[in-house]
């Protein structure tokens, strides 16, 4: 509706009046004017979408994290901005973007690596996993070659053995890496996430 309104006010006077009358009639019938979804930036400059939908209800924000396996270990970044600590590369999913595309984009922005996504690992949705707001992250496992380099919002970047990650870890990334290590040792997803043994990953 916003786009129709903007187009209408650019019309000549007579056409504008007709167009506005049609829009006003539609508003009276539906009672709704669609507003663009606000998007903010956190101190790191990353997109930080509003968590309120058009009806005013709060919804969790979708994010992605990418466990990047390299010959020298997994890639972790040291966050420059709160919450501080070491973290798995990742970030917010843009509107109109698939989870896989967001994962590849965030990996490139934060590590400089062009990754190959191997599989979707798990979704983590605890309301307190991100102290800033309720987010749901979809974690991917990916591989990459080459030398990673820290993006502008990172205080540092290094390769680690996932069984011996640095401290402190931001968000719930310590748990994610612990789950990943169990998975790499042969535990199945049902056993890891739901306490039921199954027949492997």
């Amino acid at each position: 509706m916003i786009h129709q309104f903007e187009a209408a006010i650019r019309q000549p006077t007579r056409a504008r009046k007709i167009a506005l009358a049609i829009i006003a009639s539609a508003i009276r019938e539906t009672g709704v004017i669609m507003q663009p979804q606000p998007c903010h930036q956190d101190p790191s400059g990353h997109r930080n979408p509003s968590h309120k939908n058009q009806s005013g209800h709060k919804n969790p924000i979708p994010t992605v994290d990418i466990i990047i396996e390299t010959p020298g270990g997994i890639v972790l970044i040291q966050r420059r901005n709160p919450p501080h600590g070491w973290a798995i590369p990742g970030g917010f999913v843009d509107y109109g973007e698939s989870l896989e595309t967001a994962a590849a984009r965030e990996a490139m922005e934060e590590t400089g690596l062009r990754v190959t996504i191997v599989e979707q690992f798990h979704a983590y949705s605890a309301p307190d996993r991100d102290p800033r707001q309720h987010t749901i992250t979809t974690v991917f496992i990916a591989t990459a070659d080459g030398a990673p380099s820290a993006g502008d919002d990172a205080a540092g970047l290094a390769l680690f053995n996932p069984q011996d990650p640095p401290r402190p870890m931001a968000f719930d990334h310590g748990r994610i890496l612990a789950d990943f290590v169990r998975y790499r040792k042969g535990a199945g997803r049902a056993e890891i996430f739901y306490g039921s043994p199954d027949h492997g990953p």
Side-chain angles (χ1 to χ4, degrees), residues 2-198:
I2 289 294
H3 297 301
Q4 290 94 322
F5 180 81
E6 292 174 342
I9 62 176
R10 291 195 292 267
Q11 300 297 319
T13 302
R14 178 176 172 77
R16 182 165 65 245
K17 288 181 178 179
I18 295 173
L20 291 175
I22 294 172
I23 293 172
S25 176
I27 292 171
R28 284 194 297 271
E29 291 178 5
T30 64
V32 175
I33 300 179
M34 296 303 293
Q35 297 291 341
Q37 184 74 5
C39 184
H40 309 289
Q41 288 189 335
D42 66 19
S44 69
H46 278 197
R47 295 162 295 280
N48 187 355
S50 168
H51 58 289
K52 286 188 177 181
N53 63 19
Q54 298 300 333
S55 63
H57 296 294
K58 292 183 178 180
N59 293 327
I61 301 300
T63 65
V64 291
D65 289 299
I66 314 94
I67 300 172
I68 305 173
E69 296 182 289
T70 75
I74 63 166
V75 182
L76 297 178
I77 62 168
Q78 189 173 28
R79 290 179 56 83
R80 185 183 301 277
N81 300 293
H84 296 293
W86 289 89
I88 300 167
F92 296 104
V93 179
D94 286 344
Y95 185 83
E97 189 176 45
S98 71
L99 295 174
E100 292 80 5
T101 300
R105 173 182 55 76
E106 286 289 347
M108 174 61 74
E109 290 177 357
E110 296 199 344
T111 72
L113 293 173
R114 190 177 302 277
V115 300
T116 299
I117 293 177
V118 176
E119 61 182 302
Q120 186 180 117
F121 180 47
H122 189 63
Y124 293 81
S125 60
D128 61 350
R129 63 173 305 275
D130 186 333
R132 301 168 299 181
Q133 60 190 341
H134 184 185
T135 62
I136 297 175
T137 189
T138 301
V139 180
F140 290 90
I141 299 172
T143 59
D145 294 315
S149 59
D152 292 340
D153 63 327
L157 177 152
L159 302 179
F160 292 92
N161 182 333
Q163 299 185 65
D164 187 24
R167 298 287 188 272
M169 293 291 294
F171 310 111
D172 57 351
H173 289 189
R175 178 197 167 183
I176 293 174
L177 288 183
D179 291 343
F180 170 73
V181 168
R182 291 183 63 193
Y183 180 64
R184 278 290 180 250
K185 288 183 176 181
R189 286 185 172 88
E191 180 182 355
I192 295 170
F193 302 115
Y194 309 111
S196 302
D198 63 9

